[in-house]
Amino acid sequence: MEFTYHDVFGIISVVCWIALMIAMFYYQEKGNVIKMITKFIANAEETGQPGPDKMVMVVDWMYSYIPAPFRSILNKEKLKVIAQDVFDWTRQYALDYLEEKAKKEEEKKHPKDPVLPEEDSKDDDDFLVEYDIVPEICDAGAGDDKDEGCAECVDDACPVFPEKK
């Protein structure tokens, strides 16, 4: 019996699809288990009992969901390690979230000043408009009797745009 290119390719593609399906099932079930453990932890937190008692509750709840043939592999000690890992990850995630939220609130209260370029570009009209310097200076007296001047303009000489008269 000889294998052709198509036979080998067919076998390899079937093996790859099987591996992909196993990986998808594994990650889906892992997500479901983590979600379930997180719910168990949240329910235990609501009881108000001390930490070790809450851990025993979570492990017992997890153990009740393990099928009998797998209980020798996933004993209570291993389930305790899994529950502690999920709890540590959840706590770290919450702390990171709160820290990031506090940073954003602080930035809203005290916005950063724009970083101006090193070179002296104050003679460049685009520089002044880009960094919103012009409205602070020139909009103050706009609309006076002067032709497109502002309150800072003296004798038709504008300190911001000297070429405009």
Side-chain angles (χ1 to χ4, degrees):
M1 176 180 209
E2 289 185 32
F3 287 108
T4 64
Y5 170 75
H6 294 290
D7 294 335
V8 173
F9 182 73
I11 292 170
I12 290 173
S13 63
V14 168
V15 169
C16 288
W17 277 107
I18 291 172
L20 180 66
M21 296 304 285
I22 290 171
M24 286 177 24
F25 178 75
Y26 169 76
Y27 285 112
Q28 178 184 7
E29 289 305 311
K30 181 180 176 184
N32 290 340
V33 168
I34 289 174
K35 191 184 310 182
M36 183 178 66
I37 294 170
T38 305
K39 286 181 183 177
F40 289 158
I41 291 171
N43 290 340
E45 289 291 333
E46 290 176 358
T47 63
Q49 295 182 358
D53 293 340
K54 289 188 271 191
M55 179 60 80
V56 170
M57 289 174 61
V58 170
V59 170
D60 288 342
W61 287 334
M62 289 170 56
Y63 194 72
S64 69
Y65 280 89
I66 304 294
F70 296 111
R71 288 187 178 178
S72 62
I73 298 170
L74 292 172
N75 57 26
K76 288 190 176 188
E77 289 301 316
K78 290 183 181 176
L79 292 176
K80 183 177 179 180
V81 170
I82 292 170
Q84 187 63 48
D85 287 345
V86 170
F87 176 76
D88 292 342
W89 178 83
T90 306
R91 179 175 34 173
Q92 187 61 44
Y93 179 81
L95 290 174
D96 291 346
Y97 175 78
L98 290 174
E99 182 180 321
E100 189 67 30
K101 189 174 179 181
K103 267 188 202 175
K104 287 181 181 178
E105 289 295 323
E106 185 66 27
E107 287 176 3
K108 284 182 182 177
K109 290 180 182 175
H110 306 289
K112 294 180 181 178
D113 292 332
V115 178
L116 300 177
E118 294 287 329
E119 68 271 358
D120 186 16
S121 303
K122 293 189 179 178
D123 295 332
D124 183 17
D125 294 346
D126 294 332
F127 170 82
L128 296 172
V129 171
E130 180 180 350
Y131 290 101
D132 205 20
I133 297 172
V134 175
E136 292 176 9
I137 298 173
C138 290
D139 283 348
D144 290 347
D145 291 340
K146 300 177 186 176
D147 291 336
E148 296 186 26
C150 63
E152 299 292 323
C153 297
V154 179
D155 296 328
D156 293 328
C158 182
V160 178
F161 297 111
E163 68 276 356
K164 291 186 179 180
K165 292 183 179 180

